[in-house]
Amino acid sequence: MSGLSIGTVYFSALEFFGVWLYLLVALAAGWVILAILALRAAPPADRGKPRFIALLAGIAAALLTALLLPLWTDASFRHIAVLADYVALIGGAVGIGTAVGVALLPVLWLAGRTRS
């Protein structure tokens, strides 16, 4: 029985994402730095506006993903006939929308901060 090691995860991720893995790791590191800066800084006076913009961006990304995901996978809407296909499509769209909203929130908090 083989265990799940860092090497296995790394080579599986490299096989799945290819060269894009390094760009994704750099993007994730940049987001972590922005999130730390946003959490350490004073929160913006109006927290509702950045949250609302991040929520709208997440919803827009989810809707676009739901519409474009079949095209990206070389499928068409006539291929999506089973309930499991719809559930996977909706799950992917919700995941992308959530990721976009979460990724934008620290950036919007930093952008909404008053400069002193």
Side-chain angles (χ1 to χ4, degrees):
M1 184 182 303
S2 66
L4 186 65
S5 67
I6 290 292
T8 305
V9 171
Y10 171 73
F11 287 115
S12 297
L14 191 59
E15 180 71 27
F16 184 74
F17 291 111
V19 181
W20 291 98
L21 176 66
Y22 302 114
L23 180 63
L24 290 172
V25 168
L27 184 66
W31 182 85
V32 167
I33 291 169
L34 283 175
I36 290 170
L37 288 174
L39 291 174
R40 290 185 62 203
D46 182 18
R47 285 182 166 214
K49 188 174 181 181
R51 285 183 188 161
F52 182 71
I53 293 172
L55 179 68
L56 283 181
I59 290 172
L63 290 175
L64 282 173
T65 301
L67 292 174
L68 296 176
L69 198 59
L71 300 175
W72 290 337
T73 58
D74 292 332
S76 66
F77 284 105
R78 67 175 178 247
H79 291 109
I80 303 175
V82 183
L83 182 62
D85 292 337
Y86 283 110
V87 170
L89 180 65
I90 291 169
V94 168
I96 294 290
T98 303
V100 167
V102 168
L104 279 179
L105 191 57
V107 175
L108 293 172
W109 272 359
L110 286 175
R113 207 174 44 162
T114 57
R115 313 275 190 268
S116 54

